Amino acid sequence: MSRELVVEKELEIRFSEVDMMGVVWHGNYPLYLEDAREAFGAEFGLSYALYIKENVFVPIVKMDVDYKRPVRFGMRPVIRIEYVPTDAAKVIFDYKLYDKESGDVFLTARTVQVFMDRDYKLMWFSPDFYTQWKRQMGLTE
């Protein structure tokens, strides 16, 4: 009983994001992933505003990034974010940065976030609001 939760957002590669070769500097890609998470939150209600309201931190504890092709100044690639369902007290997303016209994939990635309370203690079980969100999204019964 799981559904796909996906958001796509077009990016505009600015001159300030590239190195002297005109290629996006590798340290900027996590910012694109952040843009995707914010777009996902706006679309599906799992936003940083909600985390703040619920008094939890949701730090990234793992980020896997596979660089496939260079992204250059002036390009307008699309970042695709997909929620990965899990029973664990984690928020997992898969990403793909690609060219909409050619389908060329520039990057794939995955992030894993965990829940911490305001005392910076790891939460071993999903907070109630997250369990309720998953139910509302049709991800659990």
Side-chain angles (χ1 to χ4, degrees):
M1 161 175 205
S2 187
R3 72 182 250 222
E4 216 179 62
L5 300 180
V6 175
V7 173
E8 292 191 342
K9 177 182 179 168
E10 185 177 83
L11 303 174
E12 181 177 354
I13 305 305
R14 302 173 307 155
F15 182 75
S16 63
E17 298 167 340
V18 300
D19 60 20
M20 63 189 303
M21 297 183 297
V23 172
V24 170
W25 177 63
H26 71 277
N28 283 321
Y29 289 97
L31 298 174
Y32 302 153
L33 305 183
E34 183 75 37
D35 288 345
R37 284 192 302 279
E38 287 183 12
F40 183 92
E43 178 72 21
F44 292 110
L46 191 63
S47 66
Y48 291 110
L50 176 62
Y51 297 146
I52 291 166
K53 177 180 167 261
E54 294 295 336
N55 290 313
V56 297
F57 298 123
V58 192
I60 292 176
V61 294
K62 184 173 179 138
M63 182 183 305
D64 293 320
V65 179
D66 292 315
Y67 302 96
K68 310 283 188 188
R69 294 173 174 242
V71 177
R72 292 180 166 65
F73 169 65
M75 289 180 142
R76 297 187 71 87
V78 172
I79 183 83
R80 179 184 194 275
I81 181 171
E82 180 177 354
Y83 176 82
V84 178
T86 179
D87 291 332
K90 296 179 180 180
V91 181
I92 303 172
F93 290 110
D94 283 339
Y95 308 82
K96 179 170 72 170
L97 185 65
Y98 70 98
D99 182 275
K100 198 166 197 163
E101 291 179 25
S102 69
D104 289 344
V105 176
F106 302 113
L107 170 141
T108 59
R110 173 173 277 198
T111 58
V112 178
Q113 295 169 268
V114 296
F115 294 97
M116 295 176 74
D117 66 21
R118 289 296 175 143
D119 292 322
Y120 301 96
K121 291 188 178 121
L122 182 65
M123 299 173 74
W124 292 101
F125 300 98
S126 293
D128 289 341
F129 80 90
Y130 184 55
T131 302
Q132 182 180 3
W133 176 84
K134 290 196 301 186
R135 197 172 297 119
Q136 288 174 339
M137 292 295 113
L139 300 169
T140 60
E141 293 183 12

